[in-house]
Amino acid sequence: MGGYIIYKNSSSAITIVPIKSECETLDVDRPSETTTTWLAVINGGVAGKFKAVHQGAIFSYLNYSNAKNENVMNFVQNDDAFDGNDCIWK
């Protein structure tokens, strides 16, 4: 199972494919913390990796590592950014 992302002002979607997922129970009364790594695929090649950490619907961490230059972009969840359909990260 995969998905896609679309950057603001972009005309095309980027395919993402999960490659690793780990769950850890931090508190029996709360959802498990899940860490998932996704490959970003463009034109059949790996462009980079996304890594996300969440506990239920709350994301505490999301970053992107570029495969070519290894630059890392960190994202911050904006709790007020839900537009009725999607959560918008900046």
Side-chain angles (χ1 to χ4, degrees), residues 33-68:
E33 181 178 87
T34 303
T35 302
T36 305
T37 303
W38 303 73
L39 291 182
V41 180
I42 299 176
N43 297 325
V46 175
K49 283 188 217 178
F50 285 93
K51 183 175 182 180
V53 178
H54 67 93
Q55 192 172 9
I58 306 298
F59 280 77
S60 59
Y61 180 84
L62 176 64
N63 81 2
Y64 173 76
S65 301
N66 185 295
K68 288 184 182 177

Side-chain angles (χ1 to χ4, degrees), residues 55-88:
Q55 192 172 9
I58 306 298
F59 280 77
S60 59
Y61 180 84
L62 176 64
N63 81 2
Y64 173 76
S65 301
N66 185 295
K68 288 184 182 177
N69 59 23
E70 298 182 4
N71 285 344
V72 175
M73 179 181 292
N74 293 303
F75 295 87
V76 177
Q77 182 170 330
N78 179 350
D79 293 330
D80 298 322
F82 182 67
D83 69 2
N85 295 310
D86 297 307
C87 290
I88 310 299

